[in-house]
């Protein structure tokens, strides 16, 4: 399953519930304001078993590069790579 996060604020219970269901067979993409989640909740992504990525252009547009945790396992991807991810994961859940 592909989980995409596009907002910077979600209720804590909703995030907890989502991350409980994410497995190593899933993918997580942060895009638009969702890239702020990597800065706000780095512990979620440190424990996440899925392949976690975020759109590089959205990170750069929000000047977040210096704020990302050094040990972050979240990979920066291009829009072209995002298209490939969406082709490879089904179903998709957009939050």
């Amino acid at each position: 399953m592909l989980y995409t996060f596009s907002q910077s604020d979600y209720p804590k219970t909703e995030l907890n519930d989502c991350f409980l269901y994410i497995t190593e067979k899933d993918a997580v993409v942060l895009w638009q304001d969702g890239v702020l989640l990597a800065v706000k909740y780095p512990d979620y992504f440190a424990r996440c078993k899925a392949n976690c990525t975020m759109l590089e252009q959205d990170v750069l547009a929000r000047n977040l590069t210096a704020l990302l945790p050094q040990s972050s396992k979240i990979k920066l991807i291009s829009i072209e790579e995002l298209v490939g991810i969406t082709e490879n994961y089904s179903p998709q859940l957009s939050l």
Side-chain angles (χ1 to χ4, degrees):
M1 177 173 259
L2 173 61
Y3 296 84
T4 60
F5 295 88
S6 63
Q7 300 173 28
S8 62
D9 287 312
Y10 294 93
K12 191 84 164 174
T13 55
E14 184 177 354
L15 278 177
N16 284 333
D17 289 346
C18 281
F19 278 86
L20 283 175
Y21 293 107
I22 295 173
T23 70
E24 63 276 347
K25 295 179 183 178
D26 299 325
V28 174
V29 175
L30 306 178
W31 67 306
Q32 295 177 348
D33 284 341
V35 296
L36 295 167
L37 294 174
V39 175
K40 292 173 71 173
Y41 304 110
D43 54 316
Y44 278 99
F45 300 98
R47 293 189 311 254
C48 186
K49 298 173 187 165
N51 176 26
C52 298
T53 59
M54 60 183 148
L55 271 180
E56 184 174 25
Q57 68 186 30
D58 290 332
V59 171
L60 295 174
R62 288 156 182 83
N63 200 23
L64 296 177
T65 307
L67 297 176
L68 294 173
Q70 293 295 327
S71 61
S72 177
K73 69 174 192 173
I74 305 173
K75 179 184 170 197
L76 297 177
I77 59 170
S78 67
I79 194 74
E80 291 83 11
E81 290 171 300
L82 174 61
V83 171
I85 290 170
T86 61
E87 291 174 341
N88 292 323
Y89 287 90
S90 180
Q92 299 177 13
L93 179 62
S94 179
L95 301 166

